Amino acid sequence: MALQLEDKFKVPSPLGLIALSFVAHFLFKQVPVLTGDAEHFATLVVFLLPILLVSDSLELKLADLKEHGLSLLYLAVVAVVLSVLTALVISDWLFSEYALSNAAVIVLFAMVLATDPVSVVSIFSKFELPHRLKILAEGESLLNDATALIVFVFIGLYALEGEQITAGYVVEISSEVIVGSIVTGMLVGFIGLFAMKSTSNRIAEMMVLIITGYGAFELAEHFYLILDLLGSHSHFHLSGILAVIFATITVHHVMTQAIAEEDSRIDREEAALQVEIQGTETSSGVFRNILRRLKATIEERDRHLRTKEDIQLLALVANTILFVAMAEMIQLNILWKYRIEILAMFLATTVIRGVMMGLFAWISNRTAKMADISMQWWGVLTFAGIKGGLSIVMINMIPASFQHLEMFKAVVIGVIMLSTFIYSGILLLIIGQNKDRFLSEKNQEIIQPLQASQSQQ
């Protein structure tokens, strides 16, 4: 039903899934179908997260990361850090009656700064948008999660346990986690590529890609086990999200190169076949040999493309399960109890995000290597900050003895619900009103490289 709403009325499937699941949940007297509490929901998210990350990361290309590296660095890292610093300044005014410590503020805002790439991709897939805008919004949604989780775990929770936070510690731990996660992801990605080359079976290729994603996630999250084997007894772990993203990008980059080479090979084989056809003494064996090579090349290329489609189908199923479970978590009495705090946090994070995107537009429009950001792009980037299930995972990492845990849970779930419906609605409105402009910009992206190529010739 959610997919039908999306096709006929352009209602994003996450909205439809949550709304329909919420109605069904209360019609059946609030009987949980998948999960009944935040802890079980967090377990479900951790289980489904790698497949969702693999699917979304397949949309990123290494060339796009190189071209928009500066922009993504600001959106996914600098904006998150500046947002947390802003939160520290306004926290006393925002939650004055709670007297939150700096550590508690960092923990709370890190949870609501994590965005949901699933919802963003779902909305964008229904419209013709400029490629650069999609890369900025979707890339930020993916990489932002890794940054928010690093801030949450290695700074927020670390300080919440009474540890001292210094600038040196922040720089050191951030560098170790980011570099370690990227290297781990790339290594697992190359191992996955080696395994994929050993099979020509499409199902086996898909399973290898999924195992690569889960392997990168588990290896990064349990990196301390490797340190224990080396004699270093430590609980240090890396970012599973970042590891999955770069493992998938590594595999996808090599697969994309292979597809490009296969396309080129098909062109050469077709040209050779044309030459042979024109020959008067060509044997049937030569024809069979060329056709056999041509068929094998096309089959290999199509297998790679179908593997990507299969992963996206699995991600759709995982996404459905996730949003159905999220609807089951809603406790209206708790949300109503903390309605003021939820609204205050929602408005504060919306304003902060708008300011961060405005600062990004100002910097980007004055930097040659960054894309120009129009007012319409600013609106899309601002309201693409829809929150998701990763925030629930973070909630369950907070110690049970924490004084304000119930309030934090209510605020995070409330902000997720509000952003899912309100941000999505505004995003649809902005894109719908500017669809002709966005289509024109997309066409210009296609035409300009062709014009530049022709002028060089």
Side-chain angles (χ1 to χ4, degrees), residues 203-365:
I203 302 300
E205 188 174 278
M206 178 189 69
M207 292 304 299
V208 168
L209 184 55
I210 293 173
I211 292 171
T212 299
Y214 276 92
F217 186 84
E218 291 298 322
L219 183 60
E221 290 294 328
H222 298 88
F223 193 74
Y224 60 88
L225 295 176
I226 297 177
L227 297 178
D228 288 345
L229 292 175
L230 297 175
S232 175
H233 300 289
S234 170
H235 292 289
F236 176 77
H237 64 90
L238 302 173
S239 169
I241 293 175
L242 207 54
V244 174
I245 292 172
F246 276 89
T248 307
I249 289 175
T250 300
V251 173
H252 184 50
H253 175 64
V254 177
M255 287 177 63
T256 302
Q257 282 188 322
I259 291 173
E261 292 174 359
E262 287 161 9
D263 286 338
S264 177
R265 181 179 173 185
I266 289 173
D267 291 339
R268 293 195 302 269
E269 297 287 2
E270 287 178 339
L273 187 59
Q274 290 293 332
V275 171
E276 293 295 340
I277 289 174
Q278 294 173 2
T280 56
E281 299 179 355
T282 304
S283 66
S284 60
V286 173
F287 278 119
R288 286 196 299 269
N289 185 41
I290 293 176
L291 289 173
R292 185 172 60 251
R293 295 200 307 268
L294 190 61
K295 180 182 178 181
T297 303
I298 294 174
E299 287 178 349
E300 186 174 357
R301 183 194 63 181
D302 290 345
R303 188 176 71 249
H304 292 325
L305 296 176
R306 287 198 301 270
T307 296
K308 182 178 178 180
E309 293 174 355
D310 292 340
I311 294 292
Q312 290 171 336
L313 177 60
L314 285 176
L316 177 62
V317 175
N319 186 35
T320 303
I321 295 171
L322 185 61
F323 281 102
V324 168
M326 186 180 293
E328 296 171 5
M329 281 187 55
I330 300 174
Q331 297 179 351
L332 294 179
N333 58 328
I334 300 296
L335 296 182
W336 182 253
K337 177 181 177 181
Y338 293 102
R339 61 191 182 279
I340 303 300
E341 291 84 352
I342 292 171
L343 287 173
M345 176 61 83
F346 176 71
L347 292 174
T349 51
T350 301
V351 172
I352 290 173
R353 183 172 177 87
V355 172
M356 292 300 121
M357 293 303 113
L359 180 58
F360 169 65
W362 186 84
I363 295 172
S364 185
N365 291 341

Side-chain angles (χ1 to χ4, degrees), residues 165-177:
I165 300 294
T166 64
Y169 166 79
V170 172
V171 172
E172 180 182 356
I173 195 66
S174 300
S175 301
E176 289 177 354
V177 172

Side-chain angles (χ1 to χ4, degrees), residues 91-128:
S91 60
D92 287 340
W93 170 76
L94 200 61
F95 298 107
S96 56
E97 62 181 284
Y98 291 96
L100 298 177
S101 66
N102 288 340
V105 172
I106 293 172
V107 165
L108 178 58
F109 273 81
M111 289 189 290
V112 295
L113 288 173
T115 53
D116 178 29
V118 175
S119 299
V120 175
V121 172
S122 173
I123 293 173
F124 283 6
S125 66
K126 300 303 175 184
F127 296 93
E128 297 290 337

Side-chain angles (χ1 to χ4, degrees), residues 349-394:
T349 51
T350 301
V351 172
I352 290 173
R353 183 172 177 87
V355 172
M356 292 300 121
M357 293 303 113
L359 180 58
F360 169 65
W362 186 84
I363 295 172
S364 185
N365 291 341
R366 287 162 176 76
T367 305
K369 294 185 178 180
M370 299 173 72
D372 290 338
I373 306 298
S374 64
M375 182 61 71
Q376 292 77 17
W377 283 34
W378 170 84
V380 170
L381 292 172
T382 297
F383 293 102
I386 302 168
K387 320 306 176 188
L390 180 62
S391 302
I392 310 296
V393 177
M394 296 184 190

